[in-house]
Amino acid sequence: MAEASVDTSTPPATVKKKKSLSIEEKIDIINAVESGKKKAEIAAEYGIKKNSLSSIMKNKDKVLEAFESLRFDPKRKRLRTAFYTDLEEALVRWYRIAQCLNVPVNGPMLRLKANDFAQKLGHNDFKCSNGWLDRFKSRYGLVFRAQPEEATGTSVDPSIVWHQNILPYYLNDYHPKNVFNVKETGLLYRMLPTNTFAFKGETCSIGKLCKDRVTVVVGTNMDGSEKLPLLIIGKNPSPHCFKGIKSLPVDYEANRMAWMTSDIFERWMQKLDEKFQAQQRRVVIFVDSFPAHPEVKNLKSIELAFFPSCLSSKFIAMKQGVIKSLKIKYRHCLIKKFLSSVEGSKEFTFSLLDAVDTLHLCWRAITPETIIKSFEEAGFKSQKGEDDPPSAGGDTGLDLVPHALKAGVELPEGLSVEEYAALDDELEACERAPDGGSEWNKERKSDETGFDTSDEEDISEPLETQPSLPSKTEATTALDTLKRFLRSQDMNDGLHNSLADLENFINSISPK
């Protein structure tokens, strides 16, 4: 009888599945290696091969960045990023803020917000499908839970939520040099101390109460290393004093109320965005939640962060010292020019062009220390571990009273430089909503025919009295005089270079 055949073939070997590690586990491995622990022991402990451990150490920077930026859930095992990274960053930031404010978020809400961000960011081909939403939730570890009744009924101070939970998200993502705040302020640019009694107690919110007014928009970054060019908004798009002027040291816009509007804001943000794109920078700009500050589409280098409308002004960095310092310096210059006219027995004239030049001069004199202190006062603390720079006191007021009295000019009794500088702080600087009040609507109707020039800046300096523009020869002579004066002083290299640049520029101009 034949023996039954026995199958002696070797059973197929079981293929060991490659182990996937979470970001947290990879961080632990990196720490263990850097502490000096043997790699063989670490690999055995986590059940991985030595070449896998080497791969983790090779990609150490990417793992640490993913862990520290909070853009990935620490339990995730892969660092694959999405195609629409800017959309996802905006959406997850919105979700975190909603969490901080105890606002319950569900799938449909997230889908609507994703489509909204896609439209604003210019991703017209994006569709928030169920599959995309599921993958997004998985990538960031989002789990929708029922909101506890006691949580939704708890009163939350928005200032505390903003300062402790929302602001750090931005400061974690941006270096201080790329964190900006911009703010508008009204300025009665020709108001002397002797005129201040007429404005005390007035709100000055309507255009015709505010002759010679402009809006000044200031902006700086958090570490004081960069001041944005001033944006000046006047009433007349072509003031008489600008005739023949082809360039200004500031950006200039105009509308009949001399305040910020949504159109001006969009144009300004687009211009700044082009500048930051050229520098290959990504910045965040904090602005007030006003109708004049809309969401601006297709910004590539700027992220706009809007302060909650209920937030106190103490969180606006520009209002903690920068604007005050600028106005004190400006009013000091204005008084000096006025006293110089009195002492020289000349009629005092001060055009919008004079105001622009003076504002630019004073803006350049604002110190980094003043800016840094203003951001610190507003609660902007670096999250990236830089050493705190030395804090400096604010700019001191400059007392011109003795000099004024000597020139025979009396100033209002008891009026300090700080009070004088702050008298126009309550001027309306931003366009309000259409239902902002009957007084505003009445004023707007009266101006619908065009720009209001009845109280424009050149009322004291008619067009026919405007001096003619100097010739190239006159400019060269003036520069020679300036060079002789400056070289008699202790000049630094920067001034010498500036003089050379000026001379080269004048020489490059064709004579007319």
Side-chain angles (χ1 to χ4, degrees), residues 435-494:
D435 59 350
S438 58
E439 191 177 17
W440 179 85
N441 288 326
K442 181 180 178 182
E443 178 69 20
R444 187 175 182 180
K445 272 191 172 181
S446 69
D447 288 333
E448 279 179 352
T449 56
F451 286 96
D452 178 12
T453 58
S454 62
D455 55 358
E456 192 46 76
E457 80 290 335
D458 291 315
I459 217 168
S460 66
E461 192 176 359
L463 178 61
E464 57 269 17
T465 67
Q466 293 285 330
S468 59
L469 294 176
S471 65
K472 180 178 178 179
T473 300
E474 290 172 321
T476 302
T477 302
L479 181 61
D480 287 339
T481 302
L482 179 63
K483 284 164 63 178
R484 288 198 304 273
F485 171 74
L486 290 178
R487 284 172 177 171
S488 69
Q489 311 298 317
D490 187 13
M491 282 175 61
N492 58 34
D493 290 341

Short mmCIF file of all heavy atoms in Angstrom, two decimals, residues 435-494:
data_model
loop_
_atom_site.label_atom_id
_atom_site.label_comp_id
_atom_site.label_asym_id
_atom_site.label_seq_id
_atom_site.Cartn_x
_atom_site.Cartn_y
_atom_site.Cartn_z
N ASP A 435 -25.90 103.09 8.99
CA ASP A 435 -26.91 103.46 9.99
C ASP A 435 -26.25 104.06 11.23
O ASP A 435 -26.76 103.97 12.33
CB ASP A 435 -27.73 102.23 10.40
CG ASP A 435 -26.87 101.11 10.98
OD1 ASP A 435 -25.63 101.21 10.88
OD2 ASP A 435 -27.44 100.15 11.51
N GLY A 436 -25.08 104.68 11.04
CA GLY A 436 -24.31 105.19 12.17
C GLY A 436 -24.87 106.41 12.84
O GLY A 436 -24.30 106.92 13.78
N GLY A 437 -26.00 106.92 12.40
CA GLY A 437 -26.59 108.06 13.10
C GLY A 437 -27.07 109.11 12.13
O GLY A 437 -26.52 109.30 11.05
N SER A 438 -28.13 109.82 12.50
CA SER A 438 -28.74 110.79 11.62
C SER A 438 -27.79 111.95 11.33
O SER A 438 -27.78 112.51 10.24
CB SER A 438 -30.03 111.32 12.25
OG SER A 438 -29.76 111.89 13.52
N GLU A 439 -26.97 112.33 12.31
CA GLU A 439 -26.06 113.46 12.11
C GLU A 439 -25.04 113.13 11.03
O GLU A 439 -24.77 113.94 10.15
CB GLU A 439 -25.36 113.76 13.44
CG GLU A 439 -24.60 115.07 13.44
CD GLU A 439 -23.97 115.38 14.79
OE1 GLU A 439 -23.86 114.45 15.60
OE2 GLU A 439 -23.62 116.54 15.00
N TRP A 440 -24.52 111.92 11.08
CA TRP A 440 -23.55 111.50 10.07
C TRP A 440 -24.21 111.42 8.70
O TRP A 440 -23.67 111.86 7.70
CB TRP A 440 -23.00 110.14 10.45
CG TRP A 440 -22.01 109.60 9.46
CD1 TRP A 440 -20.67 109.87 9.39
CD2 TRP A 440 -22.28 108.69 8.39
NE1 TRP A 440 -20.10 109.20 8.35
CE2 TRP A 440 -21.05 108.48 7.72
CE3 TRP A 440 -23.42 108.06 7.92
CZ2 TRP A 440 -20.95 107.63 6.62
CZ3 TRP A 440 -23.32 107.22 6.83
CH2 TRP A 440 -22.09 107.02 6.19
N ASN A 441 -25.43 110.85 8.63
CA ASN A 441 -26.12 110.74 7.35
C ASN A 441 -26.43 112.10 6.75
O ASN A 441 -26.35 112.31 5.54
CB ASN A 441 -27.44 109.96 7.54
CG ASN A 441 -27.19 108.49 7.77
OD1 ASN A 441 -26.26 107.93 7.23
ND2 ASN A 441 -28.00 107.86 8.61
N LYS A 442 -26.80 113.07 7.60
CA LYS A 442 -27.08 114.42 7.14
C LYS A 442 -25.83 115.04 6.54
O LYS A 442 -25.86 115.66 5.48
CB LYS A 442 -27.59 115.26 8.31
CG LYS A 442 -27.95 116.69 7.91
CD LYS A 442 -28.45 117.44 9.13
CE LYS A 442 -28.76 118.89 8.78
NZ LYS A 442 -29.21 119.66 9.96
N GLU A 443 -24.69 114.85 7.23
CA GLU A 443 -23.43 115.39 6.74
C GLU A 443 -23.04 114.75 5.42
O GLU A 443 -22.60 115.41 4.50
CB GLU A 443 -22.34 115.17 7.78
CG GLU A 443 -20.96 115.65 7.38
CD GLU A 443 -20.88 117.16 7.31
OE1 GLU A 443 -21.73 117.84 7.93
OE2 GLU A 443 -19.97 117.66 6.63
N ARG A 444 -23.27 113.43 5.33
CA ARG A 444 -22.89 112.73 4.12
C ARG A 444 -23.74 113.18 2.94
O ARG A 444 -23.24 113.37 1.84
CB ARG A 444 -23.06 111.22 4.33
CG ARG A 444 -22.53 110.40 3.17
CD ARG A 444 -22.59 108.92 3.46
NE ARG A 444 -22.03 108.17 2.36
CZ ARG A 444 -21.95 106.86 2.34
NH1 ARG A 444 -22.38 106.16 3.37
NH2 ARG A 444 -21.43 106.23 1.31
N LYS A 445 -25.04 113.41 3.15
CA LYS A 445 -25.90 113.87 2.08
C LYS A 445 -25.46 115.22 1.55
O LYS A 445 -25.48 115.47 0.36
CB LYS A 445 -27.35 113.97 2.58
CG LYS A 445 -28.14 112.68 2.43
CD LYS A 445 -29.61 112.95 2.68
CE LYS A 445 -30.43 111.71 2.34
NZ LYS A 445 -31.86 111.96 2.56
N SER A 446 -25.06 116.10 2.46
CA SER A 446 -24.67 117.44 2.05
C SER A 446 -23.41 117.43 1.21
O SER A 446 -23.12 118.38 0.49
CB SER A 446 -24.44 118.33 3.27
OG SER A 446 -23.29 117.90 3.97
N ASP A 447 -22.64 116.33 1.27
CA ASP A 447 -21.38 116.26 0.54
C ASP A 447 -21.44 115.36 -0.68
O ASP A 447 -20.43 115.07 -1.29
CB ASP A 447 -20.27 115.73 1.47
CG ASP A 447 -19.86 116.76 2.50
OD1 ASP A 447 -20.01 117.95 2.21
OD2 ASP A 447 -19.41 116.35 3.58
N GLU A 448 -22.62 114.87 -1.05
CA GLU A 448 -22.72 113.86 -2.11
C GLU A 448 -22.31 114.39 -3.48
O GLU A 448 -22.05 113.63 -4.38
CB GLU A 448 -24.14 113.30 -2.16
CG GLU A 448 -24.37 112.23 -1.10
CD GLU A 448 -25.78 111.69 -1.13
OE1 GLU A 448 -26.60 112.27 -1.87
OE2 GLU A 448 -26.05 110.72 -0.43
N THR A 449 -22.29 115.71 -3.64
CA THR A 449 -21.94 116.27 -4.93
C THR A 449 -20.46 116.20 -5.23
O THR A 449 -20.03 116.38 -6.35
CB THR A 449 -22.39 117.75 -5.01
OG1 THR A 449 -21.81 118.44 -3.92
CG2 THR A 449 -23.90 117.83 -4.92
N GLY A 450 -19.63 115.97 -4.23
CA GLY A 450 -18.20 115.88 -4.46
C GLY A 450 -17.40 116.17 -3.22
O GLY A 450 -17.94 116.28 -2.13
N PHE A 451 -16.09 116.30 -3.38
CA PHE A 451 -15.21 116.55 -2.23
C PHE A 451 -15.49 117.93 -1.66
O PHE A 451 -15.71 118.90 -2.38
CB PHE A 451 -13.74 116.45 -2.66
CG PHE A 451 -13.28 115.05 -2.88
CD1 PHE A 451 -13.27 114.50 -4.15
CD2 PHE A 451 -12.87 114.27 -1.81
CE1 PHE A 451 -12.84 113.21 -4.34
CE2 PHE A 451 -12.44 112.97 -2.01
CZ PHE A 451 -12.43 112.45 -3.27
N ASP A 452 -15.44 118.00 -0.36
CA ASP A 452 -15.65 119.27 0.33
C ASP A 452 -14.34 120.02 0.40
O ASP A 452 -13.42 119.61 1.10
CB ASP A 452 -16.18 118.99 1.75
CG ASP A 452 -16.39 120.26 2.54
OD1 ASP A 452 -16.33 121.34 1.92
OD2 ASP A 452 -16.61 120.15 3.77
N THR A 453 -14.23 121.12 -0.33
CA THR A 453 -13.00 121.91 -0.32
C THR A 453 -13.23 123.28 0.27
O THR A 453 -12.35 124.13 0.23
CB THR A 453 -12.45 122.07 -1.75
OG1 THR A 453 -13.44 122.68 -2.57
CG2 THR A 453 -12.08 120.73 -2.35
N SER A 454 -14.44 123.52 0.83
CA SER A 454 -14.72 124.83 1.37
C SER A 454 -13.85 125.17 2.56
O SER A 454 -13.58 126.33 2.83
CB SER A 454 -16.20 124.92 1.79
OG SER A 454 -16.47 123.98 2.81
N ASP A 455 -13.40 124.14 3.29
CA ASP A 455 -12.55 124.39 4.44
C ASP A 455 -11.20 123.71 4.27
O ASP A 455 -10.58 123.27 5.20
CB ASP A 455 -13.22 123.91 5.73
CG ASP A 455 -13.63 122.45 5.67
OD1 ASP A 455 -13.41 121.82 4.62
OD2 ASP A 455 -14.15 121.94 6.67
N GLU A 456 -10.75 123.62 3.00
CA GLU A 456 -9.51 122.92 2.71
C GLU A 456 -8.31 123.67 3.25
O GLU A 456 -8.39 124.82 3.64
CB GLU A 456 -9.40 122.68 1.19
CG GLU A 456 -8.32 121.71 0.75
CD GLU A 456 -8.30 120.45 1.58
OE1 GLU A 456 -9.16 119.59 1.39
OE2 GLU A 456 -7.42 120.34 2.44
N GLU A 457 -7.18 122.99 3.22
CA GLU A 457 -6.03 123.45 3.99
C GLU A 457 -5.41 124.73 3.47
O GLU A 457 -4.73 125.42 4.21
CB GLU A 457 -4.97 122.35 4.01
CG GLU A 457 -4.10 122.22 2.78
CD GLU A 457 -4.83 121.69 1.57
OE1 GLU A 457 -5.84 120.99 1.77
OE2 GLU A 457 -4.42 121.98 0.45
N ASP A 458 -5.63 125.10 2.22
CA ASP A 458 -4.93 126.25 1.67
C ASP A 458 -5.71 127.54 1.81
O ASP A 458 -5.47 128.49 1.10
CB ASP A 458 -4.60 125.99 0.19
CG ASP A 458 -3.55 124.92 0.04
OD1 ASP A 458 -2.56 124.97 0.78
OD2 ASP A 458 -3.72 124.04 -0.80
N ILE A 459 -6.66 127.57 2.75
CA ILE A 459 -7.50 128.75 2.93
C ILE A 459 -6.65 129.96 3.34
O ILE A 459 -6.98 131.09 3.06
CB ILE A 459 -8.59 128.45 3.98
CG1 ILE A 459 -9.88 129.11 3.59
CG2 ILE A 459 -8.17 128.86 5.37
CD1 ILE A 459 -11.06 128.65 4.40
N SER A 460 -5.53 129.70 4.06
CA SER A 460 -4.67 130.79 4.50
C SER A 460 -3.49 130.99 3.55
O SER A 460 -2.65 131.83 3.77
CB SER A 460 -4.13 130.51 5.91
OG SER A 460 -3.28 129.39 5.88
N GLU A 461 -3.42 130.17 2.49
CA GLU A 461 -2.32 130.27 1.54
C GLU A 461 -2.87 130.07 0.13
O GLU A 461 -2.79 129.00 -0.44
CB GLU A 461 -1.26 129.21 1.86
CG GLU A 461 0.04 129.41 1.12
CD GLU A 461 1.08 128.41 1.54
OE1 GLU A 461 0.80 127.58 2.40
OE2 GLU A 461 2.19 128.47 1.00
N PRO A 462 -3.48 131.10 -0.46
CA PRO A 462 -4.13 130.98 -1.76
C PRO A 462 -3.15 130.50 -2.82
O PRO A 462 -1.94 130.68 -2.71
CB PRO A 462 -4.62 132.40 -2.05
CG PRO A 462 -4.65 133.08 -0.72
CD PRO A 462 -3.59 132.45 0.09
N LEU A 463 -3.73 129.96 -3.90
CA LEU A 463 -2.92 129.38 -4.96
C LEU A 463 -1.94 130.38 -5.55
O LEU A 463 -0.80 130.08 -5.82
CB LEU A 463 -3.84 128.83 -6.06
CG LEU A 463 -3.15 128.21 -7.29
CD1 LEU A 463 -2.31 127.04 -6.85
CD2 LEU A 463 -4.18 127.79 -8.32
N GLU A 464 -2.40 131.66 -5.73
CA GLU A 464 -1.54 132.63 -6.37
C GLU A 464 -0.33 133.02 -5.52
O GLU A 464 0.65 133.56 -6.03
CB GLU A 464 -2.34 133.89 -6.73
CG GLU A 464 -3.04 134.54 -5.55
CD GLU A 464 -4.44 134.02 -5.35
OE1 GLU A 464 -4.75 132.96 -5.90
OE2 GLU A 464 -5.23 134.67 -4.65
N THR A 465 -0.39 132.75 -4.21
CA THR A 465 0.74 133.10 -3.35
C THR A 465 1.72 131.94 -3.17
O THR A 465 2.72 132.09 -2.48
CB THR A 465 0.25 133.55 -1.97
OG1 THR A 465 -0.35 132.44 -1.30
CG2 THR A 465 -0.73 134.69 -2.07
N GLN A 466 1.41 130.79 -3.76
CA GLN A 466 2.30 129.64 -3.63
C GLN A 466 3.63 129.93 -4.30
O GLN A 466 3.68 130.40 -5.44
CB GLN A 466 1.67 128.41 -4.27
CG GLN A 466 0.44 127.89 -3.58
CD GLN A 466 0.80 127.16 -2.30
OE1 GLN A 466 1.86 126.58 -2.20
NE2 GLN A 466 -0.08 127.19 -1.33
N PRO A 467 4.76 129.70 -3.63
CA PRO A 467 6.05 129.97 -4.27
C PRO A 467 6.29 129.01 -5.43
O PRO A 467 5.83 127.86 -5.42
CB PRO A 467 7.05 129.72 -3.13
CG PRO A 467 6.35 128.79 -2.19
CD PRO A 467 4.90 129.16 -2.28
N SER A 468 7.00 129.50 -6.43
CA SER A 468 7.31 128.65 -7.58
C SER A 468 8.33 127.60 -7.17
O SER A 468 9.10 127.79 -6.22
CB SER A 468 7.86 129.49 -8.73
OG SER A 468 9.04 130.18 -8.30
N LEU A 469 8.34 126.49 -7.89
CA LEU A 469 9.27 125.42 -7.57
C LEU A 469 10.69 125.84 -7.91
O LEU A 469 10.94 126.49 -8.94
CB LEU A 469 8.91 124.16 -8.36
CG LEU A 469 7.58 123.50 -7.99
CD1 LEU A 469 7.28 122.32 -8.91
CD2 LEU A 469 7.59 123.03 -6.54
N PRO A 470 11.66 125.51 -7.06
CA PRO A 470 13.05 125.91 -7.33
C PRO A 470 13.62 125.17 -8.54
O PRO A 470 13.21 124.05 -8.87
CB PRO A 470 13.78 125.51 -6.04
CG PRO A 470 12.93 124.45 -5.43
CD PRO A 470 11.53 124.78 -5.80
N SER A 471 14.59 125.81 -9.18
CA SER A 471 15.26 125.20 -10.33
C SER A 471 16.36 124.26 -9.85
O SER A 471 16.72 124.23 -8.67
CB SER A 471 15.86 126.29 -11.22
OG SER A 471 16.91 126.96 -10.50
N LYS A 472 16.94 123.51 -10.81
CA LYS A 472 18.04 122.61 -10.47
C LYS A 472 19.24 123.39 -9.96
O LYS A 472 19.92 122.97 -9.00
CB LYS A 472 18.43 121.78 -11.70
CG LYS A 472 19.58 120.81 -11.43
CD LYS A 472 19.90 119.98 -12.67
CE LYS A 472 21.09 119.06 -12.39
NZ LYS A 472 21.42 118.21 -13.57
N THR A 473 19.50 124.55 -10.55
CA THR A 473 20.62 125.38 -10.11
C THR A 473 20.42 125.85 -8.67
O THR A 473 21.35 125.82 -7.85
CB THR A 473 20.77 126.60 -11.04
OG1 THR A 473 21.01 126.15 -12.38
CG2 THR A 473 21.93 127.48 -10.60
N GLU A 474 19.20 126.27 -8.34
CA GLU A 474 18.89 126.71 -6.97
C GLU A 474 19.03 125.56 -5.99
O GLU A 474 19.52 125.74 -4.86
CB GLU A 474 17.48 127.30 -6.91
CG GLU A 474 17.34 128.64 -7.64
CD GLU A 474 15.90 129.11 -7.73
OE1 GLU A 474 15.00 128.25 -7.95
OE2 GLU A 474 15.65 130.32 -7.58
N ALA A 475 18.61 124.36 -6.41
CA ALA A 475 18.72 123.19 -5.53
C ALA A 475 20.20 122.85 -5.28
O ALA A 475 20.59 122.51 -4.15
CB ALA A 475 18.00 122.00 -6.15
N THR A 476 21.03 122.97 -6.31
CA THR A 476 22.46 122.69 -6.16
C THR A 476 23.12 123.69 -5.21
O THR A 476 23.94 123.33 -4.35
CB THR A 476 23.16 122.74 -7.53
OG1 THR A 476 22.55 121.79 -8.41
CG2 THR A 476 24.64 122.43 -7.40
N THR A 477 22.73 124.97 -5.35
CA THR A 477 23.26 126.01 -4.46
C THR A 477 22.85 125.76 -3.01
O THR A 477 23.66 125.89 -2.08
CB THR A 477 22.78 127.39 -4.92
OG1 THR A 477 23.19 127.63 -6.27
CG2 THR A 477 23.34 128.49 -4.03
N ALA A 478 21.57 125.38 -2.84
CA ALA A 478 21.08 125.09 -1.49
C ALA A 478 21.80 123.91 -0.87
O ALA A 478 22.12 123.90 0.33
CB ALA A 478 19.58 124.83 -1.54
N LEU A 479 22.09 122.88 -1.69
CA LEU A 479 22.80 121.71 -1.19
C LEU A 479 24.23 122.07 -0.78
O LEU A 479 24.73 121.58 0.23
CB LEU A 479 22.80 120.60 -2.25
CG LEU A 479 23.50 119.29 -1.85
CD1 LEU A 479 22.81 118.67 -0.64
CD2 LEU A 479 23.51 118.30 -3.01
N ASP A 480 24.86 122.93 -1.56
CA ASP A 480 26.22 123.36 -1.20
C ASP A 480 26.22 124.07 0.16
O ASP A 480 27.11 123.86 1.00
CB ASP A 480 26.76 124.31 -2.27
CG ASP A 480 27.14 123.56 -3.55
OD1 ASP A 480 27.35 122.33 -3.46
OD2 ASP A 480 27.20 124.20 -4.61
N THR A 481 25.20 124.92 0.38
CA THR A 481 25.08 125.61 1.67
C THR A 481 24.87 124.61 2.80
O THR A 481 25.49 124.70 3.87
CB THR A 481 23.90 126.60 1.63
OG1 THR A 481 24.10 127.53 0.58
CG2 THR A 481 23.77 127.35 2.96
N LEU A 482 24.01 123.61 2.55
CA LEU A 482 23.74 122.59 3.57
C LEU A 482 24.99 121.79 3.87
O LEU A 482 25.29 121.48 5.04
CB LEU A 482 22.61 121.66 3.07
CG LEU A 482 22.21 120.51 4.00
CD1 LEU A 482 21.64 121.06 5.32
CD2 LEU A 482 21.17 119.61 3.32
N LYS A 483 25.76 121.44 2.83
CA LYS A 483 26.98 120.66 3.04
C LYS A 483 27.99 121.43 3.89
O LYS A 483 28.61 120.86 4.81
CB LYS A 483 27.61 120.29 1.68
CG LYS A 483 26.89 119.17 0.96
CD LYS A 483 27.27 119.08 -0.50
CE LYS A 483 28.72 118.76 -0.71
NZ LYS A 483 29.05 118.63 -2.16
N ARG A 484 28.15 122.72 3.60
CA ARG A 484 29.10 123.52 4.38
C ARG A 484 28.69 123.60 5.85
O ARG A 484 29.53 123.50 6.75
CB ARG A 484 29.20 124.94 3.79
CG ARG A 484 29.94 124.99 2.47
CD ARG A 484 30.40 126.41 2.16
NE ARG A 484 29.30 127.36 2.16
CZ ARG A 484 28.54 127.63 1.10
NH1 ARG A 484 28.77 126.98 -0.05
NH2 ARG A 484 27.57 128.51 1.17
N PHE A 485 27.38 123.74 6.08
CA PHE A 485 26.91 123.81 7.47
C PHE A 485 27.12 122.48 8.19
O PHE A 485 27.65 122.43 9.30
CB PHE A 485 25.43 124.19 7.51
CG PHE A 485 24.82 124.09 8.88
CD1 PHE A 485 25.11 125.02 9.87
CD2 PHE A 485 23.99 123.00 9.21
CE1 PHE A 485 24.57 124.90 11.14
CE2 PHE A 485 23.46 122.88 10.48
CZ PHE A 485 23.74 123.84 11.44
N LEU A 486 26.70 121.39 7.56
CA LEU A 486 26.77 120.09 8.22
C LEU A 486 28.22 119.66 8.46
O LEU A 486 28.54 119.03 9.47
CB LEU A 486 26.04 119.03 7.40
CG LEU A 486 24.51 119.15 7.35
CD1 LEU A 486 23.90 118.07 6.45
CD2 LEU A 486 23.91 119.04 8.75
N ARG A 487 29.12 119.99 7.54
CA ARG A 487 30.51 119.57 7.69
C ARG A 487 31.24 120.39 8.76
O ARG A 487 32.36 120.03 9.16
CB ARG A 487 31.23 119.69 6.35
CG ARG A 487 30.83 118.55 5.41
CD ARG A 487 31.36 118.72 4.01
NE ARG A 487 31.00 117.57 3.18
CZ ARG A 487 31.19 117.52 1.86
NH1 ARG A 487 31.73 118.56 1.23
NH2 ARG A 487 30.84 116.46 1.18
N SER A 488 30.59 121.47 9.21
CA SER A 488 31.15 122.21 10.34
C SER A 488 30.74 121.59 11.67
O SER A 488 31.18 122.03 12.73
CB SER A 488 30.69 123.67 10.29
OG SER A 488 29.29 123.77 10.57
N GLN A 489 29.88 120.58 11.57
CA GLN A 489 29.42 119.86 12.76
C GLN A 489 30.09 118.49 12.83
O GLN A 489 30.81 118.08 11.91
CB GLN A 489 27.89 119.69 12.73
CG GLN A 489 27.12 120.97 12.43
CD GLN A 489 27.33 122.03 13.47
OE1 GLN A 489 27.33 121.75 14.67
NE2 GLN A 489 27.54 123.27 13.02
N ASP A 490 29.85 117.78 13.90
CA ASP A 490 30.42 116.43 14.06
C ASP A 490 29.48 115.43 13.39
O ASP A 490 28.58 114.87 14.01
CB ASP A 490 30.57 116.11 15.56
CG ASP A 490 31.31 114.80 15.78
OD1 ASP A 490 31.91 114.29 14.82
OD2 ASP A 490 31.27 114.30 16.92
N MET A 491 29.66 115.21 12.09
CA MET A 491 28.77 114.35 11.31
C MET A 491 29.20 112.89 11.39
O MET A 491 30.39 112.58 11.49
CB MET A 491 28.77 114.77 9.84
CG MET A 491 27.94 116.00 9.52
SD MET A 491 28.13 116.46 7.78
CE MET A 491 27.52 114.98 6.96
N ASN A 492 28.20 112.00 11.27
CA ASN A 492 28.51 110.57 11.19
C ASN A 492 28.51 110.13 9.72
O ASN A 492 28.15 110.88 8.81
CB ASN A 492 27.51 109.74 12.01
CG ASN A 492 26.08 109.95 11.56
OD1 ASN A 492 25.80 110.15 10.38
ND2 ASN A 492 25.14 109.88 12.50
N ASP A 493 28.93 108.89 9.49
CA ASP A 493 29.04 108.38 8.12
C ASP A 493 27.69 108.35 7.41
O ASP A 493 27.61 108.56 6.20
CB ASP A 493 29.65 106.97 8.13
CG ASP A 493 31.12 106.98 8.52
OD1 ASP A 493 31.74 108.06 8.42
OD2 ASP A 493 31.64 105.92 8.91
N GLY A 494 26.63 108.11 8.19
CA GLY A 494 25.31 108.04 7.58
C GLY A 494 24.91 109.35 6.93
O GLY A 494 24.35 109.35 5.82
#
